[in-house]
Amino acid sequence: QTALLQFDGHAYALPLNVLASMWRGDFTTFWRTPPEFKMKILPGNTGAVVDWLAAQLSKIDKTAAPAGKQVFDATMQSRVYAFQMAQGLKPDSVVGATTFMLINRAVGVEEPRLQTSQTTARRHDVLHP
């Protein structure tokens, strides 16, 4: 029945009905982009972002990190497709923002995130005994 909002290290408890009257459901997400990220990765793309993608997929697949410059080819597209399916995304082998965010989560990149009510309740107990 209560939302816990945190800003600048301070926690604020807010009844959900009050939050609902002020918030229409819009939100912005913050995430760490790969090096030289500008847009979706498409077949045939190369560069630092594709090299980064290949390295992250290797971490996820627990395979040896690739050496040299990478190309977003059919093999890498297949790996992305499998990752997207495993994450519950619509698999299209195109690497856009949502796929990048889930890759970050899979490899442990520290990013801001929403917490479940169970986690929030525990933090609320710690912050407000």
Side-chain angles (χ1 to χ4, degrees):
Q1 297 300 314
T2 303
L4 179 67
L5 307 176
Q6 291 184 301
F7 299 100
D8 294 328
H10 300 289
Y12 304 92
L14 188 64
L16 290 179
N17 63 337
V18 173
L19 178 62
S21 72
M22 296 185 294
W23 181 49
R24 304 289 180 232
D26 295 336
F27 67 92
T28 299
T29 185
F30 295 96
W31 58 289
R32 298 189 196 288
T33 60
E36 298 182 24
F37 170 79
K38 292 182 178 80
M39 63 183 87
K40 296 177 181 178
I41 298 178
L42 301 171
N45 284 167
T46 60
V49 69
V50 176
D51 296 343
W52 179 92
L53 174 63
Q56 303 322 302
L57 290 172
S58 292
K59 289 178 187 176
I60 292 165
D61 297 341
K62 296 180 175 48
T63 59
K69 299 293 180 188
Q70 301 297 304
V71 176
F72 191 57
D73 59 11
T75 301
M76 198 179 307
Q77 289 173 53
S78 175
R79 292 171 74 192
V80 168
Y81 186 95
F83 176 79
Q84 289 171 327
M85 280 199 58
Q87 297 298 312
L89 295 175
K90 178 182 173 190
D92 60 5
S93 299
V94 175
V95 186
T98 303
T99 299
F100 277 122
M101 288 178 209
L102 290 174
I103 288 171
N104 282 352
R105 181 183 300 164
V107 299
V109 172
E110 190 67 34
E111 295 183 313
R113 65 185 189 280
L114 293 174
Q115 299 173 339
T116 65
S117 59
Q118 197 172 43
T119 304
T120 302
R122 281 182 283 163
R123 295 186 113 216
H124 187 267
D125 291 341
V126 171
L127 295 170
H128 301 284

